[in-house]
Amino acid sequence: MPETSSSLLEGSLDAELQELAAAGLRRQRRTLDSPCGRIATVDGRELLNFASNDYLGLAGDAGLARALADGALDWGAGSGASHLVAGHLQPHADLEAAIAEFTGFPAALTFSTGYLANLAVTPTLAGRGDAVFADKLNHASLIDAMQLAKANGADVHRYPHNDLSALERLLAASNARRKVVVTDAVFSMDGDLAPLPGLFALAERFDAWLVIDDAHGFGVLGAKGRGSLAHFNLPAAPRILLMGTLGKAAGVGGAFVAGSTRAIDYLLNKGRSYIFTTATPPAIACALLASLQRIENGNALRQQLNANIARLRDGARDLPWTLPASMTAIQPLIVGDNQAALDLAQALWARGLWVPAIRPPTVPRGTARLRISVSAAHTADDIDRLVAALKELA
């Protein structure tokens, strides 16, 4: 019996999936039977969770859950429309004002996800006659935003990771009408920081926009957790657009872009992923208002997080795998080979430790790794247990 066109289509997909599996690159989800926290229940087993971005341990916080529930009772389950039609409710407005005040910028917009926030910024700023300059290790959402800008006619340039000299040469050689420098603040798979003071100086010198993705710095770096700009004592300058996610250290969900009043108004009017997306449920904004207060008063949580990071790095010094320099909650243990990284992650899983293996294309080929995510919720014993397991497996 001849194959149908649909079976041929699915057959081509299956072949590609088998190729991914053979290369150690096929991905699968795990379903948790417990709230996000230091302990994850999966398939009836309890595991120490070193896999989440819940850096301050707020995702399972009862106070934030109550704020979310009360917000739903007061404002309903959904927003009903995009922000520009009829979906911008008072909690959204209150949250944007609070974020602007917290970050030091005049204005802010909120988004459903950080991906959507990033897709709103770079392609809106850069089109025909403009140029984008992006770090080679930027997050996938920033890369996709760059590609959209390219589709709009912008020239795109990717400079070597954190290489200010290379970026300077590219900026000096560009005659673009509008220049946009785009970078992560904390790189999501390496945990290192962008040289923001140097990037800001170049943006000033070459009259460029500086777009900063502070997904992994917001809430944990800088005075009162205000983020990477505060960490470097940089101003909330008009040429900066700051993106931050609200589902990591903030423990809830969504994202924001903060900037000058004019820049935010421009994004509101021209950012397609803002204009054409239904607003998040207002209850999310209610929970995030409570989260911002917890972050601002969260010095003890940040101190615990930093103590856990130091304890892990001290204990892992003699391991045979590379632990690159990182002062953040993201601690990558470079294994190299894809299958070896998977095997190490599985061996830890068997010991009750959930540490995900990260492989290409998320990271460059040959740098497969374990991405250890440290949280303020972890105890000293949790860190010691992970270190002991790694030493045993070494």
Side-chain angles (χ1 to χ4, degrees):
M1 184 175 179
E3 290 188 276
T4 65
S5 59
S6 61
S7 65
L8 289 172
L9 288 172
E10 290 202 347
S12 69
L13 300 182
D14 188 58
E16 289 191 38
L17 287 171
Q18 290 183 36
E19 288 176 9
L20 288 174
L25 296 176
R26 190 165 183 177
R27 288 157 172 78
Q28 293 179 314
R29 298 180 297 181
R30 298 187 185 276
T31 301
L32 282 72
D33 298 315
S34 59
C36 178
R38 59 177 283 272
I39 301 296
T41 303
V42 185
D43 298 333
R45 294 186 60 206
E46 289 190 345
L47 299 106
L48 262 178
N49 184 3
F50 289 96
S52 83
N53 296 318
D54 184 26
Y55 301 134
L56 296 181
L58 296 180
D61 182 81
L64 298 192
R66 281 192 295 272
L68 181 67
D70 289 345
L73 291 173
D74 291 340
W75 293 96
S79 63
S82 66
H83 284 279
L84 290 176
V85 178
H88 192 65
L89 284 71
Q90 191 61 49
H92 296 129
D94 292 342
L95 177 61
E96 289 177 350
I99 289 170
E101 181 178 0
F102 186 73
T103 59
F105 284 90
L109 283 182
T110 51
F111 292 79
S112 300
T113 68
Y115 219 110
L116 286 176
N118 279 336
L119 292 182
V121 179
T122 303
T124 303
L125 289 178
R128 191 167 304 280
D130 304 324
V132 177
F133 306 85
D135 191 291
K136 281 195 173 181
L137 293 189
N138 276 348
H139 186 264
S141 59
L142 292 175
I143 294 171
D144 286 355
M146 179 188 71
Q147 296 292 1
L148 283 174
K150 184 177 181 179
N152 291 341
D155 291 329
V156 298
H157 308 272
R158 299 183 72 185
Y159 60 90
H161 179 52
N162 282 346
D163 190 332
L164 291 175
S165 295
L167 175 59
E168 181 181 13
R169 289 192 295 271
L170 289 169
L171 286 167
S174 174
N175 294 316
R177 175 195 63 164
R178 184 183 290 164
K179 301 179 179 72
V180 184
V181 177
V182 183
T183 185
D184 277 300
V186 177
F187 289 87
S188 60
M189 292 299 135
D190 292 83
D192 58 336
L193 274 65
L196 293 185
L199 291 170
F200 180 67
L202 287 175
E204 290 268 84
R205 178 179 163 193
F206 292 98
D207 195 22
W209 289 96
L210 179 57
V211 177
I212 300 170
D213 179 335
D214 202 21
H216 300 276
F218 182 78
V220 292
L221 295 181
K224 297 187 176 181
R226 287 190 166 90
S228 296
L229 286 177
H231 171 78
F232 286 111
N233 294 312
L234 289 173
R239 70 175 65 256
I240 294 175
L241 281 166
L242 178 72
M243 195 286 287
T245 53
L246 300 166
K248 297 179 174 66
V252 186
F256 68 86
V257 176
S260 71
T261 301
R262 184 168 294 155
I264 294 302
D265 189 33
Y266 186 79
L267 290 180
L268 181 150
N269 278 278
K270 299 198 72 173
R272 292 173 64 83
S273 62
Y274 178 81
I275 295 169
F276 299 109
T277 302
T278 298
T280 55
I284 298 291
C286 296
L288 285 167
L289 284 163
S291 174
L292 279 181
Q293 293 180 358
R294 293 294 303 276
I295 290 171
E296 188 165 14
N297 298 310
N299 284 342
L301 291 175
R302 285 183 286 276
Q303 289 170 4
Q304 180 62 46
L305 173 62
N306 290 330
N308 287 341
I309 293 167
R311 191 177 190 92
L312 173 66
R313 292 193 64 82
D314 183 62
R317 280 182 301 179
D318 298 326
L319 292 173
W321 307 286
T322 302
L323 186 66
S326 167
M327 58 164 284
T328 70
I330 301 165
Q331 295 293 317
L333 196 65
I334 310 297
V335 178
D337 178 72
N338 295 339
Q339 192 59 50
L342 286 171
D343 291 345
L344 182 57
Q346 184 57 42
L348 290 171
W349 180 273
R351 289 162 173 78
L353 298 155
W354 188 359
V355 187
I358 307 295
R359 295 149 287 156
T362 308
V363 295
R365 186 176 300 177
T367 68
R369 66 197 64 188
L370 300 190
R371 182 184 186 272
I372 304 169
S373 293
V374 184
S375 171
H378 289 131
T379 66
D381 286 345
D382 294 341
I383 303 298
D384 292 345
R385 182 177 162 191
L386 173 60
V387 170
L390 287 169
K391 288 182 175 179
E392 177 190 344
L393 292 166

